[in-house]
Amino acid sequence: MNLRNIAIIAHVDHGKTTLVDRLLQQSGTFRENQKVAERAMDSNDLERERGITILAKAASVQWKDTRINIVDTPGHADFGGEVERILNMVDGALVLVDAAEGPLPQTKFVVSKALKVGLKPIVVINKVDRPDARPTEVINEVFDLFAALDASEEQLDFPILYGSAKQGWMADKPEGPQDRGMEPLFELVLRHVPAPRTEEGPFRMIGTIIEANPYLGRIITGRISSGTLKPNQQIKVLAADGKMIEQGRITKILAFRGLERTPLDDAEAGDIVAIAGMTKGTVADTFCDPSVDIPLPAQPIDPPTVSMSFIVNNSPLAGTEGDKVTSRMIRDRLLREAEGNVALRVREADDKDSMDVAGRGELQLAILIETMRREGFELSVSRPRVVFQKDAATGQTLEPIEEVVIDVDEEHSGVVVQKMSERRAELIEMKPSGGHRLRLVFYAPTRGLIGYQGELLTDTRGTAIMNRLFHNYAPYKGEIQGRRNGVLISNDQGEAVAYAMFKLEDRGPMMIEPGWKVYRGMIVGEHTRDNDLEINVLKGKQLTNIRTTSKDEAVRLTPPIKMTLEKALAYIEDDELVEVTPKSIRLRKKHLDPNERKRAEKAKEAVA
């Protein structure tokens, strides 16, 4: 059987998942009349809503007598844990680039990994039907990007196709012909991508993607490097240092045919398969025949840079909106997530009532929280904290630094540079990117970027695009100014009253609406000054029997600040929490009682 294994690399929203849809349709994988969900590869609701690929997925298409395994890689740097390992599983890569936007930082992130493992990419310029498409300039930008990433001569001599995945065609020139559909792409893959590299010897495979299945247990996907595999075969698992992790039997071998997983009676070297039956083996481990003693070399996993505490919800409204509220349920759910997601680290905190979860960035953690709340969980989460490291030689504190690329209109560039320098960022490069826009490149501490996305959009009237990826660990950059305003805190429990809120409007903007349930210690608004203030939003109007037109006028309130999950996580300070339930996102003080808050403040000052 002829085989090809390819990965699709693209920036968020450059049309990768749509392209896979078209390949599946035009290869006859879907019947003419079969109803298929839009963006078939985006399997969970959050991926569809945000239009991003979070988890790596595989599909396979049959073209003439060759089967092509296609692996969809996440474009977002927060999900980079997936990317490195997937690229070791394939022999070629399609680099998909938007004909108007050109290569963006997340393309750079994945492409740099692909060039490092020696893949020879095919460049596909997508969306040439856009009115602002500029395919020739984009090709030059791709070439410059490859050169900047130290691509070899062979890698720089890349084949190019132009087309529109949405309209379902590819061609050698931007203008077409459009009548051959995706055929030019299929033919190019067969010509340019080599057949899988296989070695002699017994069965060996590196775990690449892991998932937890309720029926089959732990499922590991990878590419078989050598040998063959049959169900019920005895195998063992070796760690990167050669230590044996476990021995066991394979209960099931699954391979992708189209988007479906089909059980196989035997699998051979070169194919990408998923195996069930092991309980401890994980990603980057070697799954092999019992006679093998030396593990295959595996790519190490990038370190987590941001951590948060997931705490049992102990507010007065706990348990009123969700059905999963206990610390045991939260703990089990997080450990289950960590089983299938190698970029996450979960450990129990010293107080036993909370879990410390570390990941690649606040986006990854926010998506985990959003997923949990949709499953019916209630929990409180702390402000994201950066994971520091100690330099072994000098004992210096090191913090994670990210490369940040901001595309912005020229008129707003001043405020962006000013805000980024306040956040201890270093401006590395500033160049025009066409259409009166500038591309600014910074090296910024991860600490300073927490919560900056919303502020950037406000400062630039929604026109800036920010992309970031992990750069390295560097010495601590010093203090960064936090939130300048204090908050308005409710001093009682009940339902907010419009009249009371109207009387308090001069104190600062509210975050709640009339009729909302509030409790003592809950944050209900932002103070206009830099200190916190306790207020009463429950106080109704004193009723008298005298009627006047002025007194009975309807209360008109200023619309409240709407808090999304990401905005709330960025807004809170260290002594505050976000209470997340299936229906609400509330902000609160860590200590609800004002006396406890004072005691905690004094204790903190004593330590400082």
Side-chain angles (χ1 to χ4, degrees):
M1 178 68 184
N2 289 331
L3 252 187
R4 296 290 185 276
N5 295 325
I6 59 166
I8 296 196
I9 297 171
H11 185 78
V12 180
D13 207 25
H14 277 197
K16 168 176 57 186
T17 309
T18 310
L19 180 75
V20 175
D21 284 2
R22 293 295 168 269
L23 294 175
L24 288 164
Q25 283 160 359
Q26 294 195 20
S27 65
T29 305
F30 296 150
R31 296 189 310 277
E32 287 296 314
N33 58 355
Q34 187 173 348
K35 188 165 175 19
V36 178
E38 265 298 291
R39 308 205 308 275
M41 295 283 269
D42 280 354
S43 57
N44 75 31
D45 294 341
L46 273 175
E47 296 190 308
R48 294 211 171 141
E49 277 168 38
R50 291 166 184 252
I52 61 174
T53 299
I54 297 169
L55 307 158
K57 301 178 203 61
S60 104
V61 299
Q62 182 84 21
W63 181 256
K64 296 178 179 164
D65 65 343
T66 303
R67 195 170 70 249
I68 303 170
N69 286 326
I70 302 168
V71 187
D72 186 2
T73 61
H76 217 287
D78 275 15
F79 308 106
E82 303 265 325
V83 173
E84 303 143 43
R85 301 183 306 272
I86 286 153
L87 296 173
N88 281 313
M89 196 163 73
V90 298
D91 308 287
L94 296 183
V95 179
L96 192 66
V97 183
D98 186 308
E101 291 183 10
L104 285 170
Q106 255 98 51
T107 329
K108 173 180 176 178
F109 167 75
V110 190
V111 167
S112 70
K113 303 269 186 199
L115 296 174
K116 218 177 260 172
V117 299
L119 297 180
K120 296 199 279 287
I122 293 172
V123 174
V124 178
I125 306 295
N126 191 26
K127 303 192 187 182
V128 292
D129 51 335
R130 279 180 61 156
D132 54 350
R134 43 185 195 96
T136 314
E137 290 100 313
V138 166
I139 282 293
N140 291 335
E141 287 173 18
V142 172
F143 187 86
D144 293 346
L145 170 68
F146 280 26
L149 295 173
D150 295 331
S152 67
E153 288 293 320
E154 256 185 309
Q155 288 170 328
L156 285 172
D157 189 16
F158 50 83
I160 305 161
L161 280 180
Y162 303 87
S164 162
K166 200 171 169 191
Q167 294 178 359
W169 63 272
M170 287 287 150
D172 294 342
K173 297 185 179 63
E175 55 280 358
Q178 301 180 11
D179 54 2
R180 292 179 63 205
M182 288 288 175
E183 190 184 334
L185 181 54
F186 283 122
E187 296 296 337
L188 184 56
V189 167
L190 297 195
R191 280 200 316 274
H192 187 74
V193 177
R197 308 179 300 278
T198 57
E199 297 164 22
E200 292 298 311
F203 166 70
R204 284 180 302 172
M205 176 183 110
I206 280 200
T208 304
I209 306 169
I210 181 173
E211 65 192 280
N213 182 294
Y215 307 106
L216 297 171
R218 183 175 282 214
I219 293 183
I220 303 278
T221 304
R223 187 183 71 171
I224 302 176
S225 301
S226 62
T228 56
L229 187 63
K230 289 185 167 62
N232 221 15
Q233 188 171 325
Q234 183 86 18
I235 67 162
K236 69 177 181 184
V237 183
L238 297 175
D241 58 4
K243 283 202 184 92
M244 190 171 85
I245 295 168
E246 64 171 332
Q247 272 188 311
R249 287 187 186 279
I250 295 295
T251 52
K252 227 179 183 67
I253 305 171
L254 302 165
F256 284 93
R257 300 294 178 261
L259 285 170
E260 299 295 312
R261 277 192 172 156
T262 316
L264 295 184
D265 291 333
D266 60 2
E268 51 194 51
D271 206 352
I272 293 174
V273 295
I275 58 173
M278 294 288 124
T279 56
K280 295 181 186 154
T282 183
V283 162
D285 290 341
T286 301
F287 294 73
C288 56
D289 188 83
S291 63
V292 176
D293 295 321
I294 298 166
L296 292 164
Q299 193 83 15
I301 295 155
D302 273 356
T305 54
V306 175
S307 79
M308 278 160 87
S309 297
F310 283 52
I311 308 160
V312 173
N313 185 12
N314 61 0
S315 87
L317 299 177
T320 55
E321 295 176 359
D323 53 5
K324 296 174 183 162
V325 291
T326 64
S327 60
R328 186 181 59 81
M329 284 175 165
I330 293 169
R331 180 175 170 275
D332 291 351
R333 175 67 182 83
L334 289 171
L335 291 172
R336 201 165 70 239
E337 183 70 28
E339 257 196 18
N341 187 340
V342 192
L344 272 189
R345 291 206 195 135
V346 176
R347 68 175 190 83
E348 202 159 3
D350 305 332
D351 61 5
K352 298 288 185 225
D353 254 356
S354 66
M355 302 288 287
D356 273 337
V357 182
R360 287 280 172 82
E362 75 245 53
L363 171 72
Q364 187 190 30
L365 296 175
I367 282 174
L368 171 60
I369 297 165
E370 183 64 47
T371 308
M372 286 175 71
R373 101 183 249 228
R374 290 181 184 202
E375 292 169 5
F377 281 88
E378 276 195 20
L379 64 155
S380 296
V381 288
S382 72
R383 177 181 165 84
R385 304 177 298 273
V386 161
V387 179
F388 292 107
Q389 289 186 354
K390 271 266 188 282
D391 186 333
T394 61
Q396 217 177 4
T397 302
L398 304 178
E399 66 172 326
I401 304 290
E402 298 187 34
E403 182 181 333
V404 183
V405 179
I406 299 177
D407 281 306
V408 61
D409 291 345
E410 280 173 8
E411 62 193 285
H412 301 304
S413 60
V415 67
V416 173
V417 172
Q418 180 204 330
K419 288 278 176 76
M420 286 295 281
S421 60
E422 282 171 14
R423 291 163 178 267
R424 304 279 176 182
E426 239 178 284
L427 180 62
I428 302 299
E429 190 181 2
M430 181 191 236
K431 63 178 184 196
S433 60
H436 299 295
R437 280 172 79 81
L438 287 173
R439 182 163 286 187
L440 310 172
V441 183
F442 299 90
Y443 286 156
T446 303
R447 271 182 312 141
L449 296 172
I450 292 172
Y452 179 55
Q453 178 81 36
E455 200 175 313
L456 172 71
L457 292 175
T458 309
D459 291 343
T460 61
R461 301 200 181 146
T463 58
I465 299 170
M466 175 166 85
N467 292 287
R468 35 194 281 206
L469 63 107
F470 176 74
H471 179 60
N472 63 2
Y473 268 87
Y476 184 72
K477 299 274 185 192
E479 283 300 312
I480 293 174
Q481 171 81 42
R483 188 178 75 208
R484 289 187 176 82
N485 291 54
V487 287
L488 301 172
I489 305 165
S490 172
N491 65 3
D492 206 350
Q493 184 165 346
E495 287 190 7
V497 176
Y499 179 77
M501 290 168 65
F502 178 68
K503 290 286 183 199
L504 292 162
E505 286 215 317
D506 59 336
R507 301 291 189 184
M510 291 288 169
M511 294 175 189
I512 57 166
E513 291 183 23
W516 281 22
K517 291 189 174 78
V518 298
Y519 52 80
R520 188 184 187 191
M522 177 173 153
I523 296 170
V524 293
E526 182 173 85
H527 196 191
T528 47
R529 309 223 171 134
D530 61 2
N531 63 319
D532 294 345
L533 181 70
E534 293 207 16
I535 57 169
N536 183 351
V537 288
L538 312 177
K539 199 169 167 188
K541 180 176 168 182
Q542 291 294 314
L543 296 177
T544 67
N545 58 1
I546 302 165
R547 299 187 60 182
T548 68
T549 50
S550 65
K551 267 193 171 176
D552 290 346
E553 273 179 7
V555 172
R556 286 195 182 83
L557 293 173
T558 311
I561 303 170
K562 288 262 192 286
M563 277 292 176
T564 60
L565 178 59
E566 273 102 336
K567 205 168 169 185
L569 291 175
Y571 184 83
I572 58 171
E573 290 291 339
D574 293 337
D575 64 336
E576 295 162 359
L577 298 173
V578 178
E579 179 188 344
V580 181
T581 74
K583 294 182 186 160
S584 320
I585 288 172
R586 304 185 187 96
L587 278 64
R588 52 165 281 191
K589 285 289 180 184
K590 201 174 271 185
H591 300 288
L592 299 179
D593 183 277
N595 298 321
E596 277 186 25
R597 280 204 294 278
K598 285 190 185 114
R599 275 200 293 277
E601 192 58 41
K602 279 190 178 143
K604 194 176 161 189
E605 280 169 10
V607 171

